[in-house]
Each structure stands twice: as C-alpha cells, then as structure tokens.
C-alpha cells in the first residue's frame, strides 16, 4: 500500500507541473501581448485567474470561500495570508477578483515557462539583500499608484518546520499599507498545507477552505503603528487557523 502511495505522489506532483504549463501554452500569444506594457496587466491578471482555476480543478481541489467583507472594485488593498504551499498562489488568484500583484521570492523564476511570466509580472525579492528589499518597496509603491492591489505573504516564506502553524510576520506589507493608507485584507488558507505542502511525498485531492476576514483600516495610522498593525493582523489569522483546526478535530 505504501508503494502505491509513493507512485501516486510522484505522478501527482509531475501532473501539477504539466497542469501549470498547459494553459500557459494555450494562451501564450495573449499572455505575451498583455505583459508588453504595464497597462496590459489587468488583462494578464484575468488570464492568470483562468490558469489558477484550471490547475486547482485539474488537481482535484475544490475550494470554498467565506467572505466576511467584500473587496470594492477599483480600490487598492494590501492582501495578506498564511503561507504553506505553492497552491497558495493559485487559490489567491481564484478567490480575489480585484487585480493585484504578488510580492514573491525570486527562486520561483527557475520554474520553466511559469518563471518567464512570474519574473515580468510579480515583484521579486531577494530576502538576503537589503538593496533588493528597498527596490521591492519602490516597485510596490509604483503598482499601488497605478490603482492595483498588492499581495504579500508576510511570513516571508514557508517555514521548513511544517509543525509551525503560523510563523512570525515581517513588517513590509504593513509599512506599505500605512504609507498608502489602504486597508489590510487578512485571509486564512485552512487546508493548503494538507492538500499540497512542500514535502514531496505528501498531499491529496480534496477541499481547500479560505476565509476573508473584515478588513483592517489604516487611515490615520503612522509608521509608529506599524508593529501594532502587524501583530493585530497576525493574531487574527492565527486565531482563524486555530478555529479551522478545532472544527477539523470536532468532525473526526
């Protein structure tokens, strides 16, 4: 039985990358045209949402979103969530309709085909370089000035220890939100670690639950409030994760 599981996991992981490539190849000419200018980004974003939903469906993931507050069309937000899986990218694209730009790690550029568009549409950060972090801040400001939203996973990466429910948050997202006086959109992804973690021989098709909490306003806040805002947001997401975990234990 264990041998069958290992074979399933190997083929399932390979299938994931095949699914990533199929819609990109189909939409390739339109994707290339949409990234030529920054004004084409909203069109790219629409195709990215189709790409994300195609992957989730093809992997056997069915997602359900609880929205305690809805994003308004044409308004900028700072979108933050816990980070446990590469599928966090797909699920975020699937559930958020407002065009946003990811701030993500540069290592994903190495993924064939996906990396080409990732490099040209996302804001890449080298977490070991202070110069890179300053450039990220400037590019994020430019995108916000264009009326887009920003999505940051404030843990700064996926913890190596998968027993960690939620790692500590970095300040960047909250500094940007305060500087631009835009609301924080806290989101909890309840099942992504179980469905498709970074551990190769793991995961399974199934449900992916997301919960969008009421937004945290930043109007009137200053840089002095950055850490309090960060801690408030982390505590909200942490409590959300605990609630999902409790529900799961009660259903067993």
């Amino acid at each position: 039985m264990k041998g069958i599981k290992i074979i399933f996991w190997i083929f399932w992981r390979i299938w994931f990358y095949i699914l990533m490539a199929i819609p990109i190849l189909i939409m390739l000419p339109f994707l290339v045209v949409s990234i030529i200018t920054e004004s084409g980004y909203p069109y790219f974003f629409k195709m990215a949402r189709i790409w994300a939903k195609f992957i989730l469906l093809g992997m056997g993931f069915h997602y359900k979103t609880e929205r305690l507050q809805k994003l308004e069309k044409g308004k900028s937000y700072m979108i933050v969530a816990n980070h446990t899986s590469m599928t966090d990218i797909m699920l975020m694209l699937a559930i958020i309709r407002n065009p946003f730009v990811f701030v993500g790690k540069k290592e994903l550029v190495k993924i064939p085909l996906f990396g080409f568009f990732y490099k040209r549409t996302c804001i890449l950060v080298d977490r070991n370089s202070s110069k890179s972090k300053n450039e990220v801040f400037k590019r994020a400001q430019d995108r916000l000035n264009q009326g887009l939203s920003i999505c940051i996973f404030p843990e700064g990466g996926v913890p190596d220890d998968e027993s960690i429910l939620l790692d500590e948050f970095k300040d960047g997202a909250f500094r940007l939100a305060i500087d631009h006086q835009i609301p924080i959109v806290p989101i909890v992804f309840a099942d992504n670690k179980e469905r498709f973690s970074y551990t190769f021989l793991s995961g399974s098709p199934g449900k992916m639950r997301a919960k969008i909490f009421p937004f945290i306003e930043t109007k009137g806040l200053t840089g002095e409030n950055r850490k309090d805002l960060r801690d408030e947001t982390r505590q909200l997401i942490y409590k959300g994760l605990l609630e999902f975990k409790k529900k799961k234990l009660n259903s067993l």
Side-chain angles (χ1 to χ4, degrees), residues 22-164:
I22 291 172
I24 293 177
L25 290 171
I26 292 171
M27 298 187 291
L28 190 58
F30 306 102
L31 289 168
V32 171
V33 169
S34 70
I35 64 171
I36 291 174
T37 62
E38 289 187 345
S39 61
Y41 185 80
Y43 302 102
F44 173 86
F45 183 78
K46 288 179 181 179
M47 289 183 278
R49 295 193 71 224
I50 294 170
W51 170 82
K53 292 178 181 181
F54 180 85
I55 295 169
L56 295 176
L57 180 64
M59 291 296 289
F61 301 138
H62 51 93
Y63 58 92
K64 183 179 180 182
T65 310
E66 182 182 356
R67 303 174 192 271
L68 301 185
Q69 187 172 348
K70 293 184 179 180
L71 283 74
E72 297 177 26
K73 189 175 180 179
K75 190 173 181 180
S76 294
Y77 297 90
M78 177 58 67
I79 304 163
V80 300
N82 58 305
H83 194 22
T84 58
S85 167
M86 192 170 176
T87 57
D88 296 341
I89 294 172
M90 292 81 185
L91 187 56
M92 187 68 79
L93 285 166
I95 68 173
I96 300 295
R97 298 182 182 90
N98 290 40
F100 65 83
V101 177
F102 280 110
V103 173
K105 57 185 181 181
K106 67 173 187 176
E107 288 80 4
L108 294 181
V109 170
K110 298 174 184 177
I111 299 175
L113 204 56
F114 167 82
F116 174 83
F117 292 100
Y118 178 78
K119 181 179 181 179
R120 287 158 179 80
T121 57
C122 298
I123 300 170
L124 307 186
V125 58
D126 179 355
R127 304 194 187 280
N128 298 317
S129 168
S130 57
K131 181 182 177 182
S132 172
K133 291 177 183 178
N134 290 332
E135 288 174 355
V136 165
F137 193 78
K138 183 180 182 303
R139 287 194 64 195
Q141 285 181 317
D142 291 342
R143 287 303 206 174
L144 287 168
N145 289 335
Q146 292 166 11
L148 298 172
S149 294
I150 298 292
C151 177
I152 296 179
F153 297 109
E155 290 168 274
V158 177
D160 293 329
D161 184 355
E162 290 191 8
S163 66
I164 296 174

